């Protein structure tokens, strides 16, 4: 029943590069950055990662046209690599919504067994979005499935000028 449903919110990070992208917990990103900095200084590190989302999703990894999904269950690491699937979006006419100051349009698609609704920004001509969502003529800034079991909402965009590779350790 709905009253027994446990909901949680997690800030996620979508890194988009020229060839690949990564989508994962922002808390995990902060922890990874802290650990990397401490190890470079030769310090021992004991950090508590309290992110609720343990998985990471990489697009065009390990090669173009593939998606790598990484997760950890107990002490075991798992990686699932599959061919990238693009949702077959249907654009919704006369739909306009402003998100983060960008004029967005609505699209819908049945994808991975769910009906998805996505608001995309043509002003940001990047074919990408949260999770495995992509394939629209603009960055997806908001998406949800029809039951609202999964809801993704962009809270900010940053154009990073100092080039840094998207790290994938496999």
């Amino acid at each position: 029943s709905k009253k027994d449903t446990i909901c949680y919110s997690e800030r996620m990070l979508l890194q988009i590069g020229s060839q690949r992208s990564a989508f994962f917990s922002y808390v995990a990103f902060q922890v990874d950055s802290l650990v990397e900095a401490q190890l470079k200084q030769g310090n021992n590190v004991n950090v508590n990662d309290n992110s609720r989302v343990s998985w990471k999703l990489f697009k065009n990894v390990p090669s173009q046209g593939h998606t790598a999904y990484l997760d950890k269950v107990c002490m075991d690491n798992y990686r699932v690599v599959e061919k990238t699937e693009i949702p077959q979006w249907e654009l919704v006419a006369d739909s306009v919504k402003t998100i983060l100051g960008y004029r967005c349009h609505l699209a819908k698609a049945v994808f991975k067994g769910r009906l998805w609704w996505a608001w995309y920004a043509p002003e940001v001509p990047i074919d990408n979005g949260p999770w495995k969502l992509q394939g629209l003529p603009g960055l997806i800034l908001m998406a949800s499935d029809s039951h609202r079991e999964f809801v993704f909402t962009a809270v900010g965009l940053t154009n990073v000028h100092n080039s840094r590779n998207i790290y994938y350790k496999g």
Side-chain angles (χ1 to χ4, degrees):
S1 71
K2 282 222 179 229
K3 67 179 183 177
D4 295 333
T5 303
I6 297 172
C7 297
Y8 63 87
S9 177
E10 176 104 18
R11 183 162 290 198
M12 303 293 287
L13 177 64
L14 174 60
Q15 294 177 313
I16 302 172
S18 59
Q19 300 296 319
R20 57 174 56 165
S21 66
F23 185 66
F24 51 92
S25 166
Y26 186 68
V27 172
F29 170 75
Q30 291 175 312
V31 168
D32 288 349
S33 298
L34 175 65
V35 168
E36 182 181 341
Q38 292 298 312
L39 290 175
K40 279 183 181 176
Q41 293 178 6
N43 298 330
N44 289 331
V45 183
N46 186 9
V47 179
N48 183 16
D49 179 356
N50 61 353
S51 61
R52 290 179 175 266
V53 176
S54 60
W55 53 266
K56 296 179 179 181
L57 185 96
F58 294 84
K59 293 175 185 163
N60 291 323
V61 172
S63 60
Q64 193 74 22
H66 289 85
T67 300
Y69 176 89
L70 282 63
D71 204 352
K72 184 174 186 174
V73 179
C74 296
M75 297 303 288
D76 296 323
N77 293 313
Y78 293 90
R79 179 183 72 160
V80 176
V81 175
E82 61 186 354
K83 281 192 167 192
T84 300
E85 293 180 54
I86 307 293
Q88 298 302 302
W89 295 105
E90 179 185 326
L91 305 183
V92 178
D94 300 323
S95 60
V96 177
K97 180 180 206 163
T98 301
I99 303 170
L100 297 177
Y102 294 98
R103 184 180 167 96
C104 297
H105 300 282
L106 184 61
K108 67 178 182 175
V110 174
F111 182 64
K112 301 285 187 185
R114 295 176 183 270
L115 172 60
W116 287 93
W117 298 92
W119 291 93
Y120 65 96
E123 290 175 66
V124 186
I126 297 173
D127 173 11
N128 215 316
W131 184 59
K132 296 180 180 184
L133 302 178
Q134 59 187 335
L136 285 165
L139 183 62
I140 298 171
L141 296 181
M142 183 181 287
S144 69
D145 70 318
S146 59
H147 296 292
R148 297 189 59 79
E149 292 177 332
F150 295 93
V151 178
F152 301 107
T153 305
V155 295
L157 298 178
T158 303
N159 190 359
V160 180
H161 297 289
N162 55 338
S163 180
R164 181 177 171 190
N165 291 332
I166 294 173
Y167 185 65
Y168 172 75
K169 56 186 173 184

